[in-house]
Amino acid sequence: MRFRSAGVALAAMAALITLPLGHGRAVAAEAPLSQGKTATASSEENYGTTAADAVDGDTGTRWSSATTDDQWLQVDLGATASVTRVVLDWEAAYAKDYKVQISKDAVNWTDLKSVTGSDGGDDTLDVSGQGRYVRMLGVHRATQWGYSLWEFQVYGSTDTAQPSCGTANAAQGRPATASSTENAGTPASAAFDGDTGTRWSSQASDPQWVQVDLGSVQDLCEVDLNWETAYGKNFQIQTSTDGQNWSTLKSVTGATGGTASYDVSGSGRYVRVYGTARGTGYGYSLWEVAVHTGTTGTPPVQGGGDLGPNVIVVDPSTPNLQQKFDDVFAQQESAQFGTGRYQFLLKPGTYDNINAQIGFYTSISGLGLNPDDTQINGDVTVDAGWFNGNATQNFWRSAENLAIKPSNGDDRWAVAQAAPFRRIHVEGGLNLAPNGYGWASGGYIADSKIDGTVGPYSQQQWYTRDSSVGGWTNGVWNMTFSGVQGAPATNFDSGPYTTLDNTPVSREKPFLYLDGSTYKVFVPSKRTNARGVSWPNTPGTSLPLDQFYVVKPGATAATINAALAQGLNLLFTPGVYHLDQTIDVTRANTVVLGLGLATLVPDNGVDALHVSDVDGVKLAGLLIDAGSVNSDTLVRIGDPGSSADHSANPTTVQDVFFRIGGAGPGLATNSLVVNSDDTIIDHTWIWRADHGSGVGWTTNRADYGLRVNGDDVLATGLFVEHFNKYDVYWSGERGRTIFFQNEKAYDAPNAAAVTHDGITGYAAYKVDDSVTTHEAWGLGSYCNYTADPSIVQAHGFQVPTGSGIKLHDLLVISLGGNGQYAHVVNNTGAATSGTSTVPSKVTSFP
């Protein structure tokens, strides 16, 4: 921990005493516009030095950054302001050179002041500019630490100019719903159809409501109501950005019906009239509701642009290239719960004598259209020296779309969960174990060609899809293959292998590439019964970068949603993004792609991301990190009750990882809920943390990992661990899973805490009793009940019985005798065997 310099504090106190009235800090009575407003930063040193601490008015709390020069802190003033002065109260770790900038949209920035040679302490800067967002952009640090500010204060005046109110009805013809309808002839939509001869009417009870979806977040200025005889006496006009959490724009009491217009001020996507007291004995009835929005002249969100501060683009001639890899690795090697995020992008060409060691939250990708366009004569390495040769915590990193010719014949990729190896050509062998063959718990390969032999050695489990291998040796418990040329034959009765000749449905992950000097995103096409790699000449579609909102650290959820409402896709650059509203994907075929393990953190209990029940959305390359206030669902695919057929163009969820706790307290009832039919879940790790910060049976409470309600959903490479109740709960028909890895929650305090319906322990993978058709291959569940090793879990898997339920090659394991399983699936399969870590298997059920 670093402490404020006593000399700096005394100097500041002296300045307050001696300065004449009206100069410098003596005008303390003026309240800064920034105080208590929303603040974000490029990074935070830890959870005790957050961005919010720099705008809280408390000089005993501070923000501090990661230890690199390119860091920033920004504040959202909440409205456009004329900024006249900025005061920076530096802690001992100050900026020598920095800029103060202003922006209207948190995307395009203008310099207010450039400071060089600062000596820390208090910097008071007279400035002039207009905008909603103000930030300090660090250029050079004065110490070996990061940047640290006790307070960041912005002074000026809020722009009081009111936007004009538009005359158009933004609600006309938009989707509408209601709490109830009197009959089929008075639907909710009739109140928004522009026809004063049709109406919505409700049942005769209080409360009742009718609402409309405007399609995007908009500034609201007026709502007109045209009541039928059955009017509302007391009601509220409300708005919401997500259709779940509502704020009141206007409360009306003692209304007398007829027509009335109400001036309102606020923003939202959804508007509803919420009646609490009827004016008659009937229900509520509205001929028309009109919603008017402000015409502020705000420009649309722009697509394209640069890739932000944490994307490192190189080519074979880049000076000191090895040093660039080494510098990032030195920072990220052991930063398991840090805030640094980095993406290396390698332009096509040949890179000689390179060893790119890949640490936490670091991704390396080639920028060619095919993997062989980017040739590394060297290594892309993951090892476990930081953890004494134990690779079981080598999470959150990736390698994609390049060719590797290993320097010693074998490349080392010793990873655990959430570390995909995609679209790689290894011109040699691949070693999946750490140096010294210590413990390892991975992993995932897809669309890759390994010319030599893959050696898992100490890897407990692994899934490989739609690839080609020169050979595969050994493995510990569960090695599963689908569509892999050269894969070993199934031998699960005596060994670790489960092999399917093909993958029934797959679509490779979208990726960024260079077309000449122009960035584009390639979106591969769906494959059926795939076997082997998709390249070269992968079928698919190229999307220019100007069709993407390039999301950079500091972007707000409102801007992200505005970009989506304009029809833009999303490319999240590396960073940690705090969300104060749900990201709402409503357009078919939208691509949401993250670079460098871009991380979304929902604040104040909102959900992180919703996808409507539409065709072909692609979510890929994101880490969803639960916030400290409970979210109901971190990511939801499809609305509840979704039933549309998406078999021709399914939504895909690829390399989307979930974390509850570990980086600090996190809470979420559900992590991933899939309501849309035909969805493909291709590689996810859904993890309730068993170590790190904010870990405890109730501290990082999370009941369910994955809940599947949609029909015909396929999961390939499913890793789900440590949930308080069911890790996977599958209610949809005709679901399929190829490979499942699980550990039960280590911290269950006793058997009573996990006993339900007369059963001890929640199954790792439960198929609802109503389901008639379900099939799965290569399933493993492990228990390590360290809080109470006497727990005997009834089974790892719980499914209904019937001709349509088929499970192949499943096992349960007691890790060193910390808890036991009585059976494998239902009441079938032998119990685990005491303290010996030996699987109990069932090769076919029933």
Side-chain angles (χ1 to χ4, degrees):
M1 179 180 291
R2 302 197 296 278
F3 295 90
R4 190 179 191 187
S5 162
V8 171
L10 289 171
M13 187 177 296
L16 282 172
I17 294 170
T18 60
L19 288 174
L21 185 65
H23 181 77
R25 291 287 296 275
V27 290
E30 181 185 357
L33 301 176
S34 51
Q35 192 161 312
K37 295 299 198 302
T38 300
T40 53
S42 54
S43 66
E44 295 170 342
E45 183 183 13
N46 56 58
Y47 278 78
T49 59
T50 67
D53 292 327
V55 295
D56 61 359
D58 183 351
T59 56
T61 63
R62 64 188 175 91
W63 162 72
S64 59
S65 76
T67 55
T68 58
D69 284 332
D70 54 344
Q71 303 291 334
W72 52 259
L73 170 82
Q74 78 180 41
V75 61
D76 177 0
L77 303 178
T80 299
S82 296
V83 176
T84 58
R85 190 168 81 256
V86 176
V87 179
L88 302 95
D89 185 1
W90 291 104
E91 194 249 1
Y94 65 94
K96 181 175 65 175
D97 305 324
Y98 64 93
K99 296 178 180 181
V100 173
Q101 298 178 314
I102 196 165
S103 173
K104 294 180 179 180
D105 56 8
V107 176
N108 302 291
W109 294 90
T110 301
D111 291 348
L112 290 175
K113 186 79 73 174
S114 291
V115 178
T116 57
S118 171
D119 59 359
D122 286 352
D123 285 346
T124 299
L125 310 176
D126 292 327
V127 297
S128 178
Q130 285 193 325
R132 173 171 172 167
Y133 304 89
V134 179
R135 76 174 177 181
M136 184 287 298
L137 177 65
V139 179
H140 296 117
R141 294 165 291 146
T143 72
Q144 75 270 33
W145 307 105
Y147 300 94
S148 185
L149 281 163
W150 294 108
E151 283 294 301
F152 182 64
Q153 298 176 320
V154 179
Y155 293 89
S157 59
T158 302
D159 187 354
T160 57
Q162 296 297 315
S164 60
C165 199
T167 58
N169 179 5
Q172 188 167 323
R174 300 297 306 171
T177 54
S179 54
S180 67
T181 56
E182 183 182 8
N183 56 58
T186 58
S189 59
F192 303 95
D193 60 2
D195 183 350
T196 56
T198 63
R199 64 186 176 94
W200 162 72
S201 60
S202 76
Q203 295 178 0
S205 63
D206 295 313
Q208 300 288 340
W209 52 262
V210 64
Q211 75 182 48
V212 63
D213 177 1
L214 302 180
S216 64
V217 175
Q218 300 188 39
D219 293 324
L220 309 171
C221 55
E222 181 181 310
V223 176
D224 303 331
L225 303 181
N226 183 359
W227 291 102
E228 195 251 1
T229 305
Y231 65 93
K233 181 173 68 175
N234 300 338
F235 57 89
Q236 297 171 359
I237 299 173
Q238 300 177 321
T239 187
S240 171
T241 58
D242 59 8
Q244 297 182 24
N245 301 289
W246 295 89
S247 58
T248 299
L249 297 171
K250 182 79 69 176
S251 290
V252 179
T253 58
T256 57
T259 59
S261 294
Y262 299 94
D263 292 332
V264 297
S265 179
S267 62
R269 172 173 174 165
Y270 301 86
V271 176
R272 77 174 176 183
V273 180
Y274 186 86
T276 55
R278 291 163 291 143
T280 72
Y282 298 99
Y284 298 85
S285 185
L286 281 159
W287 293 110
E288 280 296 301
V289 178
V291 177
H292 301 282
T293 59
T295 54
T296 62
T298 301
V301 178
Q302 297 299 308
D306 68 88
L307 297 176
N310 301 324
V311 174
I312 303 166
V313 182
V314 300
D315 61 44
S317 65
T318 298
N320 303 314
L321 179 54
Q322 184 63 54
Q323 190 65 47
K324 290 182 181 292
F325 288 120
D326 292 346
D327 287 348
V328 172
F329 181 66
Q331 178 180 315
Q332 300 300 113
E333 179 184 11
S334 58
Q336 183 173 175
F337 298 110
T339 57
R341 302 288 187 272
Y342 294 94
Q343 172 78 56
F344 283 96
L345 294 176
L346 279 61
K347 294 182 179 180
T350 300
Y351 297 77
D352 291 323
N353 303 314
I354 291 296
N355 181 18
Q357 298 186 81
I358 306 300
F360 284 100
Y361 313 109
T362 306
S363 298
I364 182 172
S365 304
L367 282 172
L369 193 55
N370 289 303
D372 289 333
D373 295 341
T374 304
Q375 175 74 50
I376 295 178
N377 293 325
D379 299 277
V380 175
T381 302
V382 177
D383 207 342
W386 74 278
F387 202 43
N388 300 314
N390 181 342
T392 59
Q393 292 182 23
N394 279 350
F395 314 135
W396 304 308
R397 62 200 76 198
S398 68
E400 300 183 45
N401 196 36
L402 44 80
I404 307 166
K405 188 173 184 178
S407 56
N408 69 352
D410 289 328
D411 193 62
R412 187 183 301 278
W413 187 255
V415 299
Q417 290 84 0
F421 194 82
R422 286 183 181 270
R423 204 173 169 83
I424 304 287
H425 183 191
V426 180
E427 299 170 46
L430 185 62
N431 186 338
L432 302 179
N435 187 23
Y437 301 98
W439 292 336
S441 180
Y444 177 90
I445 294 172
D447 202 25
S448 294
K449 181 181 180 183
I450 295 91
D451 294 344
T453 298
V454 180
Y457 304 111
S458 55
Q459 283 288 355
Q460 295 167 352
Q461 68 280 315
W462 201 277
Y463 174 59
T464 307
R465 177 182 64 71
D466 298 355
S467 294
S468 172
V469 299
W472 191 282
T473 61
N474 62 59
V476 180
W477 295 322
N478 183 14
M479 305 278 120
T480 301
F481 309 84
S482 68
V484 178
Q485 297 167 338
T490 296
N491 70 346
F492 196 77
D493 54 349
S494 60
Y497 300 145
T498 300
T499 300
L500 286 71
D501 287 341
N502 306 94
T503 304
V505 186
S506 57
R507 179 196 282 133
E508 299 308 327
K509 178 182 172 184
F511 60 90
L512 191 68
Y513 78 102
L514 274 174
D515 183 1
S517 60
T518 302
Y519 285 109
K520 295 182 178 179
V521 172
F522 190 81
V523 183
S525 299
K526 186 187 76 168
R527 304 171 76 190
T528 56
N529 296 317
R531 181 172 174 80
V533 299
S534 71
W535 48 270
N537 304 317
T538 303
T541 304
S542 287
L543 301 176
L545 196 62
D546 62 11
Q547 293 183 16
F548 287 78
Y549 171 42
V550 180
V551 192
K552 298 167 190 168
T556 64
T559 303
I560 293 168
N561 277 327
L564 289 168
Q566 287 175 210
L568 292 173
N569 303 291
L570 301 177
L571 179 69
F572 280 91
T573 65
V576 179
Y577 298 86
H578 284 267
L579 307 174
D580 59 2
Q581 60 181 253
T582 302
I583 295 174
D584 205 1
V585 180
T586 61
R587 180 176 58 85
N589 300 310
T590 300
V591 177
V592 180
L593 177 62
L595 302 178
L597 279 296
T599 302
L600 309 183
V601 184
D603 292 330
N604 304 317
V606 304
D607 292 357
L609 190 147
H610 289 170
V611 177
S612 296
D613 189 31
V614 295
D615 272 356
V617 172
K618 293 90 179 172
L619 299 184
L622 298 169
L623 171 59
I624 315 297
D625 203 354
S628 58
V629 179
N630 188 72
S631 296
D632 178 77
T633 301
L634 294 177
V635 173
R636 190 184 75 199
I637 309 299
D639 305 313
S642 294
S643 60
D645 181 358
H646 305 295
S647 57
N649 186 13
T651 285
T652 47
V653 181
Q654 299 178 285
D655 299 347
V656 177
F657 310 122
F658 298 79
R659 180 171 67 190
I660 301 92
L667 297 164
T669 304
N670 306 285
S671 293
L672 174 61
V673 174
V674 177
N675 295 314
S676 286
D677 294 351
D678 308 294
T679 299
I680 300 171
I681 306 166
D682 177 42
H683 191 220
T684 184
W685 185 39
I686 307 175
W687 186 59
R688 175 181 169 265
D690 61 284
H691 64 273
S693 174
V695 172
W697 185 247
T698 56
T699 306
N700 63 326
R701 179 82 188 184
D703 287 348
Y704 302 98
L706 169 66
R707 302 196 70 162
V708 178
N709 302 314
D711 295 336
D712 301 292
V713 172
L714 171 66
T716 53
L718 180 58
F719 300 74
V720 190
E721 299 187 301
H722 309 147
F723 284 82
N724 294 83
K725 293 185 178 179
Y726 295 108
D727 299 281
V728 173
Y729 196 108
W730 206 296
S731 300
E733 284 287 357
R734 297 176 299 282
R736 292 175 291 182
T737 295
I738 305 173
F739 180 88
F740 171 70
Q741 186 266 330
N742 166 262
E743 287 181 347
K744 295 304 301 172
Y746 292 5
D747 55 351
N750 48 55
V754 291
T755 296
H756 62 99
D757 305 312
I759 299 171
T760 300
Y762 287 88
Y765 188 106
K766 175 176 171 59
V767 179
D768 189 78
D769 293 344
S770 65
V771 173
T772 61
T773 305
H774 190 91
E775 193 163 12
W777 298 260
L779 315 175
S781 177
Y782 320 147
C783 73
N784 188 34
Y785 286 122
T786 53
D788 183 0
S790 69
I791 295 173
V792 179
Q793 170 130 349
H795 41 233
F797 305 90
Q798 184 181 359
V799 300
T801 57
S803 60
I805 307 295
K806 300 176 182 178
L807 304 182
H808 313 272
D809 296 355
L810 51 161
L811 58 83
V812 295
I813 302 170
S814 168
L815 299 180
N818 287 316
Q820 303 290 336
Y821 292 90
H823 301 285
V824 179
V825 51
N826 296 357
N827 295 320
T828 299
T832 47
S833 49
T835 59
S836 60
T837 305
V838 175
S840 177
K841 295 183 175 182
V842 170
T843 57
S844 182
F845 181 87

